[in-house]
Amino acid sequence: MRKYAAAVIVLLIISLAMSGSANAQSRDWMTENADAQRSSWIRRDDKISKDRLQKPGFQLLWKMKVKNQPRQLNSLMPPATLDRLIGYRGFRMLGFFGGSSNSIFTIDTDLGRMEWEKNLRSALPASPGTFSCPGGMTTGVVRSTQVVMPALPTSSGGGGRSNPAKSAVGQPGQGAVTLANVRPNPPTAAAAPAQPRPTPPPQFGSGFSLIFALTGDGMLHSMHLSNGADFEQPIKFLPPNANANGLIVIGNMAYVVTDGDCGGVANGVWAIDLISKQVSHRRYNQRWTRPFA
């Protein structure tokens, strides 16, 4: 309960900063447990419903074992997903999930096939941890979500919007901006402004093609979802051995909650600017501080 209560705090802060909602038909899970509120619920799923479960055909299709070393009761995290991945075999769906041994696994959820796996090496010595502070990776793999809906072209082909801007986080169960509900104009050659950090490549016309994972040594990793290759060098986010929960990446900011006083790390909400690499920390009922130089 402490883990989920801590996660709710950071997600409530993020949700209050946004307005509107995304398309309820969105299938992508940008974070573990579906959405920013971690509801684990797709309210209007078009494949699974009470009526469909009463008909023949709902059955176990596949199962898989992965190479992960459990730490106490911590093992595998719920996945983030990417629906409608365009490949040479057509559309596919990928699931990205982390393991307690600082590992990432990416599977084709239709075929039960491993796409790629990667161990994120940690400088920390291996230790069994404790029940409340297991160590290793404690929060799931996430994809970056956007704060607002991109501008959509008008029917005449000119500028402007066909719909008003909306939040990509939305209400519980509504997910985030995905290919299922938005397809912005393709980038032009003259549209690339200079930035201190290279702009992530587009995800087949929408969003960013990166996933993020936070290892037990406090390093935040950004990787290409297609093959796990590093987008840039891991960056320091938390002190080592923290009990991190509720990782979420919104635009150029990443947020996470720490609890349990694990590793001597203060409980609270942490944020990092992915451009400047500046880390902010807010203990419960305190103002934001900057613990790292």
Side-chain angles (χ1 to χ4, degrees):
M1 291 299 295
R2 295 175 62 190
K3 175 178 179 180
Y4 291 108
V8 166
I9 294 175
V10 65
L11 298 174
L12 179 60
I13 293 173
I14 295 170
S15 299
L16 290 176
M18 301 179 179
S19 60
S21 62
N23 191 316
Q25 295 290 346
S26 171
R27 298 181 181 89
D28 282 11
W29 288 29
M30 311 302 283
T31 67
E32 57 181 333
N33 297 320
D35 50 24
Q37 293 79 13
R38 304 305 199 272
S39 65
S40 300
W41 189 8
I42 301 178
R43 293 174 180 267
R44 298 172 60 184
D45 192 292
D46 57 358
K47 295 181 179 179
I48 301 177
S49 66
K50 183 178 68 173
D51 294 336
R52 284 180 175 267
L53 292 181
Q54 294 175 349
K55 300 177 181 179
F58 192 82
Q59 60 185 352
L60 175 66
L61 293 180
W62 55 264
K63 58 183 178 179
M64 175 187 294
K65 288 185 177 181
V66 297
K67 299 176 182 179
N68 179 68
Q69 183 65 39
R71 299 175 68 103
Q72 301 297 322
L73 298 181
N74 188 33
S75 183
L76 300 176
M77 292 75 175
T81 66
L82 169 64
D83 194 15
R84 301 188 183 184
L85 172 67
I86 305 175
Y88 70 96
R89 294 183 177 179
F91 289 100
R92 297 186 299 142
M93 182 175 181
L94 297 183
F96 312 92
F97 60 98
S100 52
S101 57
N102 293 318
S103 296
I104 305 295
F105 307 96
T106 301
I107 60 173
D108 184 313
T109 61
D110 291 320
L111 303 178
R113 180 180 63 192
M114 184 71 71
E115 287 290 312
W116 57 266
E117 55 185 307
K118 183 177 184 179
N119 182 258
L120 305 176
R121 296 183 179 180
S122 171
L124 294 178
S127 63
T130 65
F131 179 80
S132 57
C133 299
M137 187 182 296
T138 57
T139 186
V141 178
V142 302
R143 294 175 52 207
S144 175
T145 187
Q146 302 176 32
V147 177
V148 296
M149 294 276 285
L152 300 178
T154 62
S155 58
S156 60
R161 303 175 186 268
S162 58
N163 292 300
K166 296 181 179 179
S167 167
V169 174
Q171 300 301 316
Q174 290 187 327
V177 174
T178 66
L179 283 177
N181 52 38
V182 63
R183 186 178 297 276
N185 289 326
T188 60
Q195 295 184 5
R197 176 175 181 260
T199 302
Q203 176 189 291
F204 304 106
S206 176
F208 294 144
S209 60
L210 300 179
I211 58 173
F212 297 84
L214 181 62
T215 47
D217 55 2
M219 304 299 290
L220 183 65
H221 299 253
S222 57
M223 296 157 283
H224 294 276
L225 59 79
S226 58
N227 57 11
D230 290 337
F231 172 65
E232 62 180 0
Q233 291 297 314
I235 55 179
K236 187 68 174 178
F237 190 3
L238 298 180
N241 292 316
N243 190 35
N245 300 292
L247 177 65
I248 188 170
V249 177
I250 303 177
N252 291 320
M253 295 295 297
Y255 305 86
V256 77
V257 164
T258 55
D259 70 338
D261 295 310
C262 297
V265 181
N267 297 338
V269 180
W270 300 70
I272 185 170
D273 187 312
L274 301 178
I275 302 290
S276 67
K277 309 301 189 289
Q278 288 185 318
V279 177
S280 301
H281 173 224
R282 182 179 181 181
R283 297 187 182 186
Y284 301 137
N285 301 322
Q286 291 188 359
R287 294 182 177 181
W288 287 94
T289 60
R290 296 194 182 281
F292 300 122

